Amino acid sequence: MFERRLYFHIDLAMVGAIVALCLIGLVQIYSTTYQQGVGASDIFYTQIYAIVLGLLGMAVAMSIDYRSLADKSHFLYLGILLLLVFVLFFGVVRGGSRRWIDLGPLNLQPSEFAKAILALVLAKFFGERRRGSVTRGDLLIAGAITAVPLFIIARQPDLGTAVTLLPVLFAVAYVAGMPMRIFGILALAGILIAPIAWKFALQDYQKERVSTFLNPAEDARGAGYQQIQARITVGSGGLDGKGFMKGTQGQYRFLPVAHNDFIFSVLAEEHGFVGVAVALGLYLFVIVRSLESARLSKDRLGAYLVVGVLATFTFQVIYNIAMS
């Protein structure tokens, strides 16, 4: 199943950094969900199962040649589109969104798999080109490939996950040779379209999120409450934090959904600037090491695939930390 020489090329340092980040998250989830007399919550154990499944998934991915996966990428792409459409009609509704398929002991969220499959499809598309630069026709095709799952995911509605597909497109296209002036044109178009999108495309709750992010004090007891509490939580950690399970914001539930959306804020409160620096340092190490993997790839397909997966990973790191 595994090539013997594969073991000599595993980046143990990067695997170690990823496992360390998983453990940091696990520790913080334990801290925010622990209840006196009850112990750790089911969320903590679910996270353990998720980490184990993730490591098994990594082992399986390592045993498969990415080039053979790329050859079947169109089937994978059609498969994920069918799953996304299935979710729209038959998915589980939680928090006003229909994002999951109920499989009994676990819930499957196809939009998460869409990120990796899109990276694979775009890597295959740009990797097969023989030209030196990306043409407008190439961008239109790649944009259409990205737009279909993006639109379906946005309809769930899950705009946050839908937006994470865009960095995959731009990163792979840029590495494949897209001129910088195209970025300028797209940025200008985005600025011009923004007022129209604000008026006609965004729903009321999405507009509220944007307004709250820019000015949480506008509705301090309502929509802006989480944002304000997250900032207070981060600031209260100081240099070295209040200590494990000794934070007031996270432990006394002043910060809503602390184990999920605002786990980074709890890390800052309990372990301070030092703990944040360690976590950010690990993330930066994984990102830089991944770029090195792309540079060392034996073909363009491999390089584009690494960059595509890395783009959505990096975007989510920045997005979630900035939100906190």
Side-chain angles (χ1 to χ4, degrees), residues 121-132:
V121 172
L122 293 179
K124 172 74 170 174
F125 172 70
F126 285 110
E128 288 183 336
R129 294 168 53 262
R130 294 290 180 262
R131 296 180 294 274

Side-chain angles (χ1 to χ4, degrees), residues 24-305:
I24 289 173
L26 193 62
V27 167
Q28 294 308 133
I29 289 173
Y30 180 89
S31 173
T32 55
T33 61
Y34 179 85
Q35 293 182 7
Q36 195 70 33
V38 178
S41 73
D42 291 341
I43 297 169
F44 172 74
Y45 295 108
T46 300
Q47 188 71 3
I48 294 177
Y49 301 147
I51 292 172
V52 172
L53 284 173
L55 293 173
L56 290 174
M58 181 180 70
V60 171
M62 284 169 49
S63 69
I64 302 172
D65 191 327
Y66 61 85
R67 288 165 296 191
S68 65
L69 271 180
D71 290 337
K72 301 174 181 64
S73 59
H74 51 294
F75 293 116
L76 293 171
Y77 180 76
L78 291 173
I80 199 67
L81 291 184
L82 289 174
L83 283 176
L84 290 172
V85 171
F86 179 87
V87 168
L88 272 183
F89 295 98
F90 305 107
V92 177
V93 178
R94 287 180 182 170
S97 296
R98 195 186 295 270
R99 306 176 188 177
W100 298 272
I101 298 174
D102 187 359
L103 298 178
L106 57 90
N107 291 313
L108 183 71
Q109 188 174 353
S111 57
E112 289 297 324
F113 293 91
K115 303 169 190 175
I117 291 174
L118 178 65
L120 187 66
V121 172
L122 293 179
K124 172 74 170 174
F125 172 70
F126 285 110
E128 288 183 336
R129 294 168 53 262
R130 294 290 180 262
R131 296 180 294 274
S133 61
V134 176
T135 65
R136 275 180 285 188
D138 294 331
L139 281 177
L140 286 173
I141 295 172
I145 291 171
T146 306
V148 177
L150 188 151
F151 176 76
I152 298 173
I153 294 170
R155 292 284 297 171
Q156 290 179 353
D158 188 4
L159 188 61
T161 302
V163 170
T164 62
L165 300 182
L166 292 178
V168 180
L169 169 63
F170 292 138
V172 176
Y174 173 73
V175 174
M178 183 174 72
M180 282 299 295
R181 69 174 183 276
I182 300 295
F183 276 109
I185 294 171
L186 291 173
L188 180 61
I191 293 171
L192 295 175
I193 294 172
I196 301 173
W198 178 268
K199 189 169 180 63
F200 299 105
L202 294 182
Q203 298 183 26
D204 290 340
Y205 82 93
Q206 293 168 338
K207 294 178 182 178
E208 186 181 75
R209 285 187 178 182
V210 175
S211 300
T212 301
F213 178 75
L214 296 175
N215 185 20
E218 188 176 293
D219 187 9
R221 293 182 178 274
Y225 179 79
Q226 284 182 309
Q227 190 73 41
I228 292 171
Q229 291 300 318
R231 292 181 182 180
I232 293 171
T233 306
V234 170
S236 67
L239 178 63
D240 54 359
K242 296 178 178 179
F244 177 60
M245 297 184 67
K246 294 181 180 178
T248 52
Q249 294 290 110
Q251 292 297 313
Y252 296 113
R253 308 295 190 264
F254 288 109
L255 182 62
V257 206
H259 68 278
N260 192 344
D261 293 345
F262 294 99
I263 195 68
F264 185 83
S265 299
V266 177
L267 171 71
E269 181 182 37
E270 294 189 356
H271 304 286
F273 178 80
V274 174
V276 166
V278 170
L280 291 181
L282 288 169
Y283 276 123
L284 181 61
F285 180 82
V286 171
I287 292 167
V288 172
R289 205 77 166 194
S290 298
L291 288 172
E292 181 68 7
S293 296
R295 188 183 70 82
L296 294 173
S297 180
K298 66 176 86 173
D299 55 22
R300 291 190 301 171
L301 171 63
Y304 297 165
L305 179 57

